[in-house]
Amino acid sequence: MAGISGADNNQQSDHDSGQKGTESKDMIDQEAPRMNGHVPVVTNGVADTASEKSSSGSSTPTSSKDGEKTEENEKEKTNGEVKEGEIKEGETKNDQEIVLIQDTGFTVSITGPGVESFELPVSSMELVQEIHQVLMDREDTCHRTCFSIQLDGLTLDNFAELKSIEGLKEGSQIKVIEEPYTVREARIHVRHVRDLLKSVDPGDAYNGFDCNSLSFLNVVTAGDILEKKRQPPTSLDCTPPDYIMPNSKDRPLIPLHPGIKEQRGPQCIKVLTYSGWNPPPGNRRMHGDLLYLYVVTLEEKKYHITASTRGFFLNQSTEDDFNPKAAQPKYLSHSLIDLLNQISPGFKKNFSLLLKKRAQKHPFERVPTPYQVYSWMAPQPLHHIDYIRAEDAFSTRLGYEEHIPGQTRDWNEEIQTTRELSRKNLPERLIRERAIFKVHSDFVAAATRGAMAVIDGNVMAINPGEEAKMQMFIWNNIFFSLGFDVKDHYKDFGGDAAAYAAPGSDLQGVKAYFGIDPESLYTLGTVVIDYKGYRVTAQSIIPGILEREQEQSVVYGSVDFGKTVVTSEKYRELLQKTATQLKVRPHKVLNNKEEEIELFSSIECKGIVGNDQRHYVLDLLRTFPPDANFLPVEELSKDMKDHGYPRDHRHKLACLRQELIEAFVENRYVAFVRHAAFQFQQLQLLKQNKVKDTDNKVKDADSKVKDADSKVKDTDNKEIEKEAEKAVVHIKSPEKLVNGGSGDETVQTAQAQLENDIATEEAKKIVETLTGTDSQTFEENTKDIVKKAGKAVGSLSDTEFNMTFNPDVFQPHVQHADPESETLKREKQLVKDAAEFLVLHQIPTLINDCLDHTSSPIDGLTLTEAMHNRGINMRYLGKVAEMFSKYSSVSYVYSIAVGELINRAIKHLFKTYMQGVDMMSLSAAISHFLNCYLGSYSTPHAQVTPEELQSKTAKRKSKKKNKQSTVFSIDNTEWLSETPKTLWKKIVDEVDEYYGYALECDSVESATEKYNLNRAALLRMLCRTCGVQILLREYHLDSRNKQIFYEDDIINAFPIVKHLHPKATDAYHFFTSGQNKIQQGLLREGYELISEALNLLNNVYGAMHPEIAACLRLLARLNYIMGEYGEALSFQQRAVLMSERVLGIDHPNTITEYAHLALYCFANNQVSSALKLMYRARYLALLCYGEDHPEVALIDSNIGLILHAVEEYELSLRFLEQALQLNTKYFGVKSLKVAMSYHLVARTHSCRGDFRAALLSEKEAFAIYRQTLGEEHERTKESSECLKHLTQQAVVFQKKMNEIYKGEKSITFPPIQIQTPSLSSVLDTLNVINGIVFVQISHDDIEKFKQEMTKRTTDQKELPEVTASGDAKLSNSDNASLPNTSAIEGAPSSQDCAGDNKLSHEPAQLVNGDVKLQDPLPEVTVTEGR
């Protein structure tokens, strides 16, 4: 957002500072918070935090990157520049950072017992611990755990960095020395052996344990594609499976998990467990016995093993007799695996197979993910005997994690301490962010485990006497509460509905405060978990809060909704800072003693000082203003009434989203600037006329202004200040403007000419002049102008632009200090305006995005994301669906919206349906629910035996409230009477009541027919949103005469977890500046910045994270564009693996990644892999939504072309015709996409020898090109050539056929010219349809281009830069000005061919004279959890 004022000068200043080619300096530039007009990408924390992004409203004290607040000095800042001292500090900091960033790599040689020595590359930043990890992972050393690492006889400290170790250098010899065991080490060793034995088994991924998740890429490509590059391709089998052929109605589910059977590793041992003889008696401990193991080998032999301090040996005990003496012959092995190899040949053979299989897996398939990802389908689980697993489940491990000495973790202390770490320079920030992320992901895992334990009845309540709904729990230092209205807390807000919604809103508030990262103000670790129909909130515990009543602890805010309100000086000071950044308006309320109290947050927000003296804020559920469209508000505008607002809602906690507030303030700010500038220019014209007659004072002042302006570029802030003051034009500090701007601001002069449409840029400059200090030169009118402009946009202040929101308006329980005041009316109006902006501006914008295909959601998840990015809450989904239904060219989005409406209604119903179902009947209840939802069989029968029901009714008669059991004391048998008819009636009512949308269907058949939905997609969405895992098998979803699901089909229930996503801020800056460079056509520099971003991301997040996947995808695309096809393949392979692991195997992003990988495979001549990947992408797209989608058209064009390349013309034709049909439907008959499709179809027909069909198709293509691009365009000429060629061929062919019919004997066919396509020509066409186009531009053109641009500069429009090397930046608006349109040879227009395609995520680029046109970038900004 701050880019608005800085956009133009962004590239300019890059030039001025003479900063080409110094990448390292450039990188650091992003780093330091200084701004001398270099790279204004990260001014004043523009990208620093999401919430600060648009601090245009309110006088925002921007915090510099290092967190020191710069309020006092704001007054002497010019727009976008940082105060003196900070610049100096930044300069010096840069120098140290350059040193610190440099991470040197070297190789050391490692020798150990029983292995050959090997070389290991390491980096100076690594810890010794990481060498440990590598050794425990390597095939030949993985069975050792208890060893130390020595250099020249000295043992190295595990937590030392390599660079701090003396004498460690290139080629050093590092020795691995076996150490004696302790009980702890012996247990760790046994656990490690057991982990190795199940390392290739996907069981943990299906069960959702230990952050394991699934990945099928290497199954789809039948092995690692990078390995295949080295082997010559075998014969091609290109036949697609039937279910992905165009128009196939079959949607099988088994192919979602291909090759399950082969995934399991060989069994190595039957039983490995701790023996019943543990722990060793005292006399044996004196001999060094640590623990005893019991083993049954594959040969059915039973052994008892002793773990002693020196290693493992067989003893002579049996099941009945204890005899700890060593058995003969005595094998003493330091490693348990060595011992098992000795005693069991079967173990030896299978274990080496297992290690091979493990080594074949890509590291990305084995690394744990930061958060658990669950699979909604699983094969029948194989439950092997595993005592260690059993011990884990029931032992005290519930309380403490393995590696932590002492007892449970103090989560709150860890979360707050990591926030307090220093963040002065890059290495410190990296350490801090890594610590925050690590603690956070551990906390999410612990909270999830705890919430499941609570709902499964495994944790004792802290108030066991209360009714089940009221109970609260503490487990592992985390506090759990259920989403029910306890003690009528939310009685006036909607009871349980409000209590269910509150944790979600509270989490949004915590996110907002966490995002600003304020110093000395703390929020709680918060996770919201939905599991088996219940909502659980998990929070870290404020020290000391459990020892006293809440009323005593609260020093700010209100515990009883506004009756008693308190405040404290410290909280005022802390919240004042955050209020400006979050656009919260300070406001006064009265408490029950009629005292006025000023608040900087909503009234429910509480401030509590913990025993650790930290200031905590909690209950942030109303951080953002209320949504007036869903509250009983007195008067909304006529437009809103026409839309049917205000609507009734279940609860009164409906708030607007942070994204909406930012978009709204930005929109109003632009309006304010334009309004003021227009007025000002008229004023100047009046004045000009006076000036001519009277005196030339103004000109004087004016020339000084110009002087000041010319100096801006090369002086520092103070001189500018002096000059500007001399000229009596004082540029007001950026508080009044968008957060930050650019270094060289021009001050608007008196001679400005009146234009009708003033460019916003210019307008901003005028406004700076206006909001400046009042002086004699400017007449009083300037104040008036600001006042008028402010009034026009609803600003809350007469002297500046102020858009802040009072979160307590429209809240009947809040007593405002002055309920009748003008200010309060304005505040209320502003909140209404924001809600109106959502309906009248944001929803139409969303629809336009889909209409011009900049956004094309593929399932409910992506639609939800698109809505949230625009700040539209999901309760508007009905309105969104209604608006989409009016446009046939986005009918697919309409279907997705209706599918999501049904899915959300089902989620609400599932929640109430599941509450109180008896534990014994859970799977019967869920399968019955699925039958009623998706089945066409009208009377599905729940599988519950009469005896079970009998016992239930008996229980009910004895109406005792069972206080001890958890939430399940209610016996709910209502679910038995549910039928498809009743459930669908409930769905229709729910959608109508909650979303205000009238569904015209009463069963799953009518819904799928009317709204073009598919049942497999509905099933997938239900399982993913309600946390149900079903058996992996084929379900006959359309069967009418018997039910689909049985209780054995329900494998598990898994939790749906919502939490914060800590950001890697530095990596984000590198990433965005890299993107900017790429958009300017500086690919190499962009590439280096993005590679650096990847390093920083790995540094903060570890190996796996959705943001790293996005980064890898961009690097792959850049490599591809620069012709490095092999590199592109390797990056993209990692992107696919990571997307599968961290987002899910059927996540929409994964589909995109597969399609990219297929293209790069084809470029590397791996045609059969490319096809398999494309087939997989098409299958996933069909499963997520169905065939009727523009993305499917793109996939089909790709498949058709690749099949064409391998001469499978019949198959190719089916896919290309399908693509043509879809393109025509979604892009319109006259679209260039459609022309391209016709051309491809024609090519395929001609290759089959069907010239007549080919002619018809090519004619259509020609007609579109001629109409759209004109006769002279290259594409039109090519098409016309093609037509001539086809006509000739057709005539020749027809003549010969006629001769045959006449029966003339001697007939020789002349050679008919059918060109078989070359792989390179097919690749070029693939690039075109995927939006990557290479164009040669001659030197003359570049010269013309430069002249064109210099001409434009004078018009003050955004300009591409043209550098000496001939690189240029092409923005989409510029294509028009290119000479002779050569820039668009392959893609008829940037809008249509390049811009059409969502799979290519990059913009137009020029590379050393080649333009690459791609998508107008839907920012691949690294954002959370995509």
Side-chain angles (χ1 to χ4, degrees), residues 191 207-211 372 374 391-403 408-409 411 441-459 475-476 478 480 527-529 531 536 538 1054-1057:
R191 173 176 296 275
N207 294 329
F209 285 154
D210 295 338
C211 290
Q372 185 63 56
Y374 299 93
E391 184 198 37
D392 280 354
F394 294 120
S395 71
T396 50
R397 181 167 179 242
L398 279 181
Y400 70 97
E401 315 304 276
E402 283 292 295
H403 50 276
T408 52
R409 291 175 73 168
W411 291 109
S441 56
D442 288 354
F443 177 67
V444 171
T448 310
R449 230 169 63 205
M452 289 164 76
V454 164
I455 297 299
D456 291 337
N458 221 346
V459 180
W475 177 91
N476 195 354
I478 304 173
F480 297 94
V527 181
V528 178
I529 299 110
Y531 181 60
V536 184
F1054 55 83
I1056 305 293
V1057 186

Side-chain angles (χ1 to χ4, degrees), residues 934 1015 1033-1040 1042-1044:
L934 294 169
R1015 293 190 210 206
R1033 70 173 180 88
E1034 292 310 346
Y1035 295 93
H1036 300 290
L1037 294 172
D1038 298 333
S1039 147
R1040 287 174 175 275
K1042 64 180 213 294
Q1043 61 191 46
I1044 308 172

Side-chain angles (χ1 to χ4, degrees), residues 532-550:
K532 291 185 181 170
Y534 294 90
R535 173 160 280 192
V536 184
T537 310
Q539 290 172 310
S540 59
I541 302 170
I542 298 178
I545 187 151
L546 297 170
E547 291 130 45
R548 45 186 197 223
E549 278 295 308
Q550 198 183 16

Side-chain angles (χ1 to χ4, degrees), residues 1157-1167 1170 1202 1205 1319 1322-1323 1326:
L1157 185 61
L1159 176 64
Y1160 307 154
C1161 266
F1162 187 84
N1164 281 293
N1165 289 335
Q1166 296 194 24
V1167 182
I1202 298 174
L1319 286 187
V1322 174
L1323 184 61
L1326 277 171

Side-chain angles (χ1 to χ4, degrees), residues 318-329:
T318 63
E319 266 105 295
D320 313 321
D321 299 319
F322 178 60
N323 179 355
K325 292 202 166 60
Q328 295 304 327

Side-chain angles (χ1 to χ4, degrees), residues 769-786:
T769 326
L770 286 186
T771 41
T773 52
D774 185 29
S775 69
Q776 305 318 304
T777 331
F778 276 111
E779 294 147 53
E780 279 299 301
N781 310 24
T782 49
K783 264 190 174 176
D784 193 40
I785 289 175
V786 174

Side-chain angles (χ1 to χ4, degrees), residues 627-826:
D627 184 346
N629 296 336
F630 285 87
L631 289 172
V633 169
E634 50 274 16
E635 226 8 70
L636 288 179
S637 68
K638 180 176 179 311
D639 286 344
M640 294 311 288
K641 284 184 179 157
D642 294 346
H643 277 287
Y645 294 104
R647 291 200 49 225
D648 285 340
H649 199 53
R650 285 193 187 157
H651 57 80
K652 299 202 170 91
L653 299 178
C655 291
L656 299 171
R657 291 183 67 88
Q658 186 172 9
E659 296 93 334
L660 179 85
I661 296 304
E662 294 182 350
F664 175 66
V665 171
E666 157 72 348
N667 179 286
R668 283 294 167 98
Y669 181 68
V670 171
F672 168 77
V673 166
R674 289 210 160 143
H675 194 284
F678 181 72
Q679 301 263 333
F680 177 66
Q681 293 202 319
Q682 288 187 314
L683 176 71
Q684 294 295 52
L685 279 183
L686 284 173
K687 200 197 299 185
Q688 239 177 323
N689 299 336
K690 290 184 197 167
V691 167
K692 283 176 192 163
D693 308 339
T694 53
D695 60 280
N696 292 332
K697 272 183 200 164
V698 178
K699 279 187 186 161
D700 258 13
D702 190 48
S703 61
K704 286 182 187 169
V705 176
K706 279 186 182 157
D707 285 352
D709 180 30
S710 63
K711 288 186 190 172
V712 169
K713 286 178 183 137
D714 43 29
T715 51
D716 72 1
N717 307 6
K718 283 208 168 162
E719 286 175 340
I720 296 173
E721 293 280 355
K722 286 177 198 156
E723 285 298 330
E725 271 162 29
K726 277 185 214 155
V728 215
V729 179
H730 185 79
I731 306 171
K732 183 78 163 139
S733 69
E735 304 162 40
K736 303 291 179 279
L737 287 160
V738 183
N739 188 10
S742 74
D744 46 3
E745 283 298 341
T746 39
V747 181
Q748 185 62 30
T749 62
Q751 278 80 21
Q753 290 302 311
L754 174 62
E755 289 168 14
N756 279 341
D757 182 27
I758 313 156
T760 312
E761 280 307 318
E762 222 154 297
K764 288 202 172 154
K765 293 159 190 168
I766 298 172
V767 177
E768 281 154 44
T769 326
L770 286 186
T771 41
T773 52
D774 185 29
S775 69
Q776 305 318 304
T777 331
F778 276 111
E779 294 147 53
E780 279 299 301
N781 310 24
T782 49
K783 264 190 174 176
D784 193 40
I785 289 175
V786 174
K787 189 170 177 180
K788 275 187 195 157
K791 199 163 183 186
V793 298
S795 164
L796 297 178
S797 151
D798 286 344
T799 55
E800 64 184 25
F801 175 77
N802 179 344
M803 284 269 156
T804 45
F805 299 85
N806 176 346
D808 287 332
V809 293
F810 304 125
Q811 301 297 325
H813 60 277
V814 177
Q815 272 193 295
H816 291 284
D818 190 354
E820 293 308 310
S821 72
E822 189 54 40
T823 316
L824 191 65
K825 284 187 186 132
R826 274 189 184 184

Side-chain angles (χ1 to χ4, degrees), residues 530-569:
D530 289 306
Y531 181 60
K532 291 185 181 170
Y534 294 90
R535 173 160 280 192
V536 184
T537 310
Q539 290 172 310
S540 59
I541 302 170
I542 298 178
I545 187 151
L546 297 170
E547 291 130 45
R548 45 186 197 223
E549 278 295 308
Q550 198 183 16
E551 284 75 12
Q552 301 162 358
S553 348
V554 172
V555 293
Y556 169 88
S558 167
V559 276
D560 47 14
F561 292 104
K563 295 186 187 65
T564 51
V565 188
V566 289
T567 183
S568 86
E569 211 29 65

